[in-house]
Amino acid sequence: MCFLSCLHVCQFLSMSIVHVCVQLLFGATAGKETVSRARAQSHSSFSDSFNVSQERIVITNSSGEKLIGVLHEAGSKDIVVLCHGFRSSKESRTIMGLTDALTSEKISVFQFDFSGNGESEGTFQYGNYYKEVDDLHAVIQHFKEHKRDTRAIAGHSKGGDVVIIYASMYQDVSRVINISGRFDLKRGIADRLGSDYMERINQHGFIDVAQKTGQFMYRVTKESLMDRLRIDMQSACMSIGPNCRVLTVHGSDDDVVPSEDALEFHKYIGNHEVHIIEGADHRYSSHRLELANIVLKFVTSG
């Protein structure tokens, strides 16, 4: 009898473990899933325990492509929308770290994949800045139709440029957070494509970018390259309304986008504050606590 009882207990535990794993793997695709999350370690004032419901949401952009995102319901009616960087996704460590920090303070968050990235439909493009601005607009409009205001938009790296351009075109968001965005979009291209990129793309119409092993990564078309080169971030910054507060955060040891770019944003955005995190790299690998604190203070102030 004792052996049979132990056997039944083991079977129950095994089934419970499988059930939990299935929920973690597939629960988001089935609708809303409530997850009890342990205390996060990236912010000193996080609550010891809290419940956050996660809902997988599909939003159609103006091109008819489905954008896939996750809404983290943490208690607030308004939301913060987080935007990932170049060839990244909503699951990047920087985005997930900010999601944990914000939801720990009972601020609801929506993170999504731009078209052509992650789970979203569409074809990946090298430039595509205005297309991603359009994606972000579709997201904000979706929540507005559901009576949800957007408290702030935040973007990391390329996503930082996207939120800045968005604020220059639309006046429906009062707080914008630019994390490690690039001011001069003509810089950094040669690092990826080689110093002779203009000659090669004029000759062939495209450049294929490969890993060091030779494995193909993505194609840069002339059209997508010109899309990036035509963007004037100075003009975008100066077009942001005075009632829109903008925060720029950058790491002093960023080897992808130089921290000097943060100071350039500061020159041309009227209602702006800038924070340089000493020693931080482009992904804030060892400085996520400081990044979270700065972003939380900005989102909750005023």
Side-chain angles (χ1 to χ4, degrees):
M1 291 292 291
C2 181
F3 171 78
L4 290 175
S5 297
C6 291
L7 181 60
H8 287 312
V9 169
C10 290
Q11 287 175 334
F12 173 78
L13 289 174
S14 298
M15 291 175 66
S16 299
I17 292 169
V18 170
H19 178 67
V20 169
C21 291
V22 169
Q23 280 193 315
L24 290 174
L25 286 171
F26 302 111
T29 62
K32 188 172 288 188
E33 171 191 4
T34 302
V35 182
S36 181
R37 298 166 66 182
R39 178 177 180 175
Q41 298 296 320
S42 59
H43 185 252
S44 57
S45 65
F46 286 170
S47 303
D48 286 342
S49 63
F50 55 95
N51 289 328
V52 178
S53 69
Q54 298 180 10
E55 182 181 1
R56 179 183 170 92
I57 293 179
V58 179
I59 299 170
T60 304
N61 65 12
S62 63
S63 300
E65 297 160 337
K66 293 178 180 178
L67 307 175
I68 309 301
V70 177
L71 175 62
H72 301 256
E73 291 280 20
S76 68
K77 182 70 174 176
D78 56 2
I79 62 171
V80 174
V81 178
L82 301 182
C83 303
H84 64 77
F86 179 73
R87 295 189 73 244
S88 187
S89 76
K90 62 184 179 298
E91 282 88 20
S92 79
R93 290 185 178 181
T94 307
I95 296 298
M96 293 303 297
L98 290 174
T99 298
D100 286 342
L102 290 162
T103 54
S104 294
E105 296 300 313
K106 297 181 170 56
I107 299 170
S108 299
V109 172
F110 184 69
Q111 54 191 82
F112 73 103
D113 294 324
F114 285 118
S115 52
N117 292 267
E119 295 182 280
S120 292
E121 293 181 348
T123 304
F124 172 80
Q125 296 288 341
Y126 176 72
N128 243 24
Y129 287 82
Y130 286 106
K131 175 78 177 299
E132 294 186 359
V133 169
D134 183 68
D135 289 347
L136 178 56
H137 184 59
V139 166
I140 291 174
Q141 287 299 113
H142 169 86
F143 285 103
K144 187 176 293 185
E145 290 168 5
H146 288 78
K147 311 301 182 186
R148 305 289 295 268
D149 290 331
T150 299
R151 182 189 299 199
I153 54 176
H156 175 239
S157 194
K158 184 185 179 185
D161 291 298
V162 170
V163 297
I164 292 289
I165 297 170
Y166 183 92
S168 75
M169 297 174 63
Y170 301 98
Q171 286 73 48
D172 54 0
V173 175
S174 61
R175 289 182 178 89
V176 174
I177 304 166
N178 162 33
I179 304 170
S180 306
R182 188 184 293 279
F183 183 82
D184 185 355
L185 292 176
K186 295 179 177 64
R187 296 176 62 179
I189 299 175
D191 296 337
R192 283 197 172 102
L193 307 184
S195 57
D196 61 342
Y197 67 88
M198 281 305 300
E199 178 184 342
R200 290 161 57 211
I201 209 157
N202 283 328
Q203 181 180 357
H204 303 289
F206 65 88
I207 295 174
D208 284 340
V209 180
Q211 296 177 345
K212 292 180 180 180
T213 59
Q215 183 179 356
F216 174 81
M217 293 172 65
Y218 57 91
R219 172 166 289 185
V220 179
T221 63
K222 186 174 182 178
E223 180 183 4
S224 67
L225 177 62
M226 292 301 109
D227 176 78
R228 171 169 171 161
L229 292 174
R230 280 193 294 263
I231 294 174
D232 183 354
M233 290 305 296
Q234 178 179 328
S235 176
C237 290
M238 295 175 70
S239 299
I240 297 174
N243 294 326
C244 180
R245 297 175 55 208
V246 182
L247 166 69
T248 293
V249 187
H250 218 109
S252 67
D253 290 359
D254 191 328
D255 61 352
V256 177
V257 180
S259 59
E260 290 80 9
D261 282 35
L263 305 179
E264 292 299 310
F265 282 111
H266 194 57
K267 288 181 185 177
Y268 301 106
I269 301 176
N271 192 351
H272 185 258
E273 60 182 274
V274 61
H275 286 267
I276 306 295
I277 300 180
E278 195 64 34
D281 60 17
H282 190 64
R283 294 173 178 81
Y284 300 86
S285 305
S286 303
H287 295 80
R288 294 201 176 102
L289 167 64
E290 292 165 83
L291 176 63
N293 282 333
I294 292 168
V295 169
L296 278 169
K297 181 179 179 181
F298 181 78
V299 169
T300 58
S301 65

